[in-house]
Amino acid sequence: MRIRVQEADFDVGSELAALRRGNPQIGALASFVGLVRDTNDGAGVCEMTLEHYPGMTEQALAEIVAEARRRWAIIDALVIHRVGRLMPSDQIVLVAVAGAHRGEAFAACEFIMDYLKTRAPFWKREVTPAGARWVDARDADDQAAERWREPGAD
Amino acid sequence: MLKIFYFAGLRERLGQGSEELELPAGVGDVAALRDLLAARGGAWESLATLQNLRYAVNQQMARPDSPLRAGDEVAFFPPVTGG
């Protein structure tokens, strides 16, 4: 399991190469990269700052990945999430999942991302021409996470 | 002693990111602590009025009825918006 919270940018190619290096059982590598958009809620975004809860963040991400490993037969997973000041088009997050086949890899990657959006303690503050504002949580993100709820879970 | 953290818009509104507080008598859960802090008045009232306020105890997501003990780390924050 590989979890990193960092200010520095990351190189997707070298991260994916490292994730699959030396493991010929891996037949599928699914990845998602989240980027800073230059518009949100009808306003231009000039820059963004990501705040987090050090300690809890890493723990929450590790628990989400552990849950993905419990649900799907995946071989390995990687989550990198940036914090600090970011500009439009900058990379924010990378989720990558290695598995034997694509079905598990795709599903686990989407699951990790949906749970990260609603359970990992990160907060976005964006600067628009009208001033700075904290980004509101979206109902659509809650609904996306809700899809993965298992019957009988609390 | 409790260690209390505030994050994001709530941290800005309160003008502080953390504090330490002796666990007051009669405060047994997160909701009781929230009400005690809100009673400070002014910006602190937002702890009682904010919709969707979230809680963590010892770095795990918690609920208003989650119990508190001396030595716990408690956090108050708005819904998360990472990713």
Side-chain angles (χ1 to χ4, degrees):
Chain A
M1 190 184 301
R2 308 150 191 251
I3 307 285
R4 275 156 43 203
V5 178
Q6 61 188 42
E7 289 193 14
D9 198 9
F10 49 82
D11 180 74
V12 175
S14 52
E15 296 296 343
L16 296 186
L19 185 62
R20 71 188 188 87
R21 185 169 299 137
N23 192 338
Q25 292 182 322
I26 296 172
L29 196 50
S31 64
F32 172 86
V33 181
L35 307 170
V36 180
R37 273 178 297 122
D38 69 355
T39 53
N40 188 34
D41 279 341
V45 173
C46 340
E47 66 171 80
M48 171 180 286
T49 305
L50 263 147
E51 178 172 328
H52 77 123
Y53 183 175
M56 180 173 170
T57 312
E58 292 81 357
Q59 203 170 308
L61 293 174
E63 283 168 13
I64 293 166
V65 171
E67 177 65 15
R69 299 188 79 125
R70 188 183 71 75
R71 294 193 188 199
W72 291 280
I74 60 177
I75 293 170
D76 206 350
L78 165 71
V79 179
I80 303 175
H81 202 300
R82 294 179 68 192
V83 293
R85 188 161 170 251
L86 300 171
M87 311 303 279
S89 296
D90 279 355
Q91 302 184 119
I92 304 174
V93 60
L94 169 65
V95 174
V97 176
H101 303 285
R102 72 183 183 286
E104 294 92 336
F106 272 133
C109 186
E110 193 170 19
F111 167 86
I112 291 170
M113 199 55 220
D114 284 346
Y115 265 38
L116 182 158
K117 290 283 259 189
T118 54
R119 298 182 181 210
F122 293 100
W123 300 274
K124 287 177 178 148
R125 180 178 175 275
E126 57 191 17
V127 178
T128 74
R133 63 185 186 187
W134 290 92
V135 174
D136 284 328
R138 297 165 63 231
D139 289 341
D141 289 332
D142 285 329
Q143 288 156 16
E146 193 64 27
R147 290 181 301 154
W148 302 102
R149 179 183 285 271
E150 292 179 312
D154 64 3
Chain B
M1 198 68 98
L2 287 176
K3 180 90 180 164
I4 309 176
F5 288 100
Y6 310 101
F7 288 100
L10 183 64
R11 170 181 57 74
E12 279 191 347
R13 199 181 294 213
L14 299 178
Q16 67 186 75
S18 68
E19 65 178 299
E20 290 193 352
L21 194 71
E22 204 69 55
L23 182 65
V27 170
D29 62 18
V30 169
L33 177 65
R34 180 197 61 203
D35 293 346
L36 183 90
L37 295 168
R40 290 170 172 176
W44 294 92
E45 287 172 13
S46 55
L47 283 166
T49 56
L50 265 186
Q51 295 285 316
N52 300 320
L53 186 67
R54 299 290 202 263
Y55 322 93
V57 175
N58 298 328
Q59 304 192 353
Q60 295 282 337
M61 289 291 190
R63 303 189 314 186
D65 63 355
S66 297
L68 290 183
R69 289 174 204 86
D72 281 346
E73 178 176 310
V74 187
F76 296 93
F77 46 82
V80 302
T81 55

